[in-house]
Amino acid sequence: MTTDPMPRFPAGFLWGVSTSAHQIEGAAEKRERSVWDAFTDRPGRVADGSTAAVACDHYHRYREDVALLAGLGVDAYRFSVSWPRVNSPGGLDFYDRLVDEVCTAGVRPVPTLFHWDLPVTLDWRIRDTAFRFAEYAARVADRLGDRVPSWITLNEPAEHTLLGHALGVHAPGEELLFDALPVAHHQLLAHGLAVRALRAAGARDIGIANSHTPVRAASDAPADREAADFYDLLLNRLFADPLLTGRYPRGVAELMPGDVAADLAVIAEPLDFYGVNYYAPTSVGAPTDAPSDAGGVPVPAGLPFSVRQIEGYPVTDFGWPVVPGGLAEVVTGLRDSYGDRLPPVLITENGCSYPGLDDQDRIAFLDAHLRALHGAVAGGVDVRGYFVWSLLDNFEWAAGYARRFGLVHVDFATLTRTPKASYHWFRELLKAQR
Ligand code: IFM
């Protein structure tokens, strides 16, 4: 890691950390069940057999967690609102208290309205879910809108579609493969309807958090390049194109349910910012006879692509390659592809899983990604903020508690929070950026 000082980001750059409700809140008995509760009840679905029933117990310890945010000196806190909790008595009261606490700490609350914990009674395969989501967004905005300046509708609809509905390794555990495409469309429609509902409730700063992975063809062979282009379409363009251009990539609209032309006008409601979650690039080649592995996710044979190992980079303890330049590549690529249609970008997630309190590897990861991002900003890409994933070690979905992304260590037996070396490093970085 270089010892040169971190270059300065532009004045007003928003520094933050991210979390999500299901991964940290616990207090499952005080809310409706979500698809994730049902999924974790199925034996063998979560690596360590754990559930998020208690998680970090943030529901009861949010004051301690907000004090950690304040101590870090961040400008903004991205958290998510649990739809099943809002459906339950007293649920909105919790977010009321949380938002008050965050504001009192001088931190800007940035809620995400959907981070994968769909009420178990709902189903994204059904179009009506999009309309229910807009109603829910309006309820939350009605209650919190007087203190919340910025809103995020959905987190990573690509992963929720692919992992949850196409491959079945996340909740709700459907293995629909390409029949999962309506799930993507209904989430995008939900996003557009929610943007309208939030604006009608007076919200002025609205975006989405989309995951992006630069896709690298395994070789120059035409079959590898074709497979990589298709993967790029599925993971990146399927979600960015309709939002930013009002069109699906060629060939996709025909696969969506019904006539989607009118829906696309809703989906393309102008955004105030575009959130990017970046973790790693993906190497993709032509289909193989055997299943492949995408960062721990088994990709079955029989699809029109296979996922390959990226060689030549260190890996996190999840096995994900550490490629800081990929972050610059994503934001530069978005600017080049979408031009003026791309609103200002916020990096809504970036981080890594490593064990230990003296997490020098996490410091090196964040340092290198920020330097790469700075290069893109200096090159003219309009990036306005950066959020580390995550404030706390938490329930890492199908990996359970074994993968630790936090700046703050959580002992899941005692729920004691201990800031890691990366927490102190990030605090000093923020001080130097002021
Ligand atoms: O923990 C997740 C988060 O919920 C969504 N983005 C990726 C993170 C790390 O896997």
Side-chain angles (χ1 to χ4, degrees):
M1 182 174 131
T2 171
T3 51
D4 293 347
M6 178 69 69
R8 286 188 79 78
F9 281 77
F13 195 80
L14 200 67
W15 295 97
V17 285
S18 291
T19 63
S20 92
H22 191 79
Q23 293 178 273
I24 64 168
E25 281 180 5
E29 72 289 353
K30 290 195 195 317
R31 56 161 173 76
E32 277 185 356
R33 277 166 68 77
S34 80
V35 293
W36 265 96
D37 298 310
F39 185 73
T40 46
D41 282 353
R42 287 157 64 179
R45 291 316 184 110
V46 174
D48 57 5
S50 60
T51 75
V54 176
C56 306
D57 196 29
H58 171 77
Y59 181 90
H60 295 108
R61 295 164 197 252
Y62 69 94
R63 288 200 180 86
E64 185 181 350
D65 295 336
V66 173
L68 285 163
L69 285 173
L72 198 48
V74 287
D75 304 306
Y77 175 44
R78 175 181 172 232
F79 60 97
S80 80
V81 176
S82 156
W83 188 354
R85 197 175 297 289
V86 167
N87 283 352
S88 309
L92 266 171
D93 296 342
F94 168 67
Y95 296 106
D96 217 26
R97 295 194 292 277
L98 175 64
V99 166
D100 275 350
E101 192 77 10
V102 171
C103 291
T104 304
V107 175
R108 178 200 290 215
V110 183
T112 300
L113 289 165
F114 178 69
H115 197 123
W116 302 351
D117 47 353
L118 191 73
V120 77
T121 48
L122 295 176
D123 185 334
W124 282 119
R125 288 174 300 178
I126 296 170
R127 180 179 170 83
D128 187 56
T129 303
F131 295 85
R132 302 285 78 78
F133 181 70
E135 287 165 10
Y136 150 73
R139 279 183 66 202
V140 179
D142 187 43
R143 183 69 177 268
L144 306 179
D146 56 338
R147 286 150 291 155
V148 164
S150 308
W151 297 87
I152 293 174
T153 54
L154 307 179
N155 180 72
E156 299 182 1
E159 267 61 31
H160 192 55
T161 305
L162 181 76
L163 304 180
H165 297 79
L167 301 178
V169 294
H170 274 193
E174 304 287 351
E175 297 177 41
L176 301 170
L177 298 178
F178 288 100
D179 289 338
L181 282 171
V183 168
H185 182 68
H186 294 151
Q187 285 180 88
L188 287 164
L189 177 61
H191 156 85
L193 292 168
V195 172
R196 289 185 173 176
L198 290 168
R199 289 221 167 97
R204 290 288 163 268
D205 193 38
I206 308 171
I208 188 168
N210 259 353
S211 53
H212 281 280
T213 179
V215 180
R216 300 186 172 168
S219 80
D220 277 341
D224 284 341
R225 293 175 69 94
E226 197 182 315
D229 285 348
F230 185 67
Y231 191 87
D232 179 47
L233 181 150
L234 268 189
L235 269 288
N236 296 312
R237 293 183 45 217
L238 175 61
F239 297 89
D241 279 15
L243 291 165
L244 299 175
T245 71
R247 282 196 293 272
Y248 277 120
R250 186 161 348 139
V252 172
E254 301 72 38
L255 304 174
M256 292 303 188
D259 178 2
V260 295
D263 292 350
L264 281 164
V266 179
I267 292 168
E269 275 295 326
L271 294 174
D272 302 295
F273 62 89
Y274 186 84
V276 168
N277 294 1
Y278 169 74
Y279 288 89
T282 312
S283 171
V284 174
T288 49
D289 292 337
S292 52
D293 178 283
V297 174
V299 178
L303 292 174
F305 53 79
S306 60
V307 177
R308 311 288 175 83
Q309 285 302 108
I310 292 196
E311 308 291 346
Y313 294 91
V315 292
T316 69
D317 84 341
F318 229 143
W320 299 354
V322 178
V323 187
L327 178 55
E329 198 179 325
V330 164
V331 294
T332 307
L334 285 167
R335 194 263 323 264
D336 294 348
S337 300
Y338 299 106
D340 291 346
R341 291 166 156 159
L342 181 71
V345 170
L346 288 182
I347 307 304
T348 35
E349 283 183 29
N350 178 230
C352 48
S353 164
Y354 289 111
L357 281 172
D358 187 19
D359 53 344
Q360 297 301 322
D361 24 26
R362 176 171 289 102
I363 294 174
F365 179 104
L366 297 174
D367 181 271
H369 282 73
L370 281 168
R371 286 176 198 276
L373 182 65
H374 187 275
V377 173
V381 188
D382 188 2
V383 182
R384 305 258 177 107
Y386 175 90
F387 290 67
V388 176
W389 181 271
S390 182
L391 174 66
L392 303 170
D393 291 340
N394 57 49
F395 178 74
E396 176 52 31
W397 308 113
Y401 294 99
R403 303 290 177 215
R404 293 177 174 272
F405 281 84
L407 299 176
V408 175
H409 178 271
V410 177
D411 177 329
F412 291 105
T414 63
L415 298 170
T416 303
R417 277 83 162 132
T418 309
K420 303 180 188 176
S422 58
Y423 176 97
H424 300 292
W425 172 84
F426 195 49
R427 186 183 58 199
E428 294 311 309
L429 177 100
L430 298 191
K431 274 190 202 154
Q433 290 284 326
R434 303 290 181 218

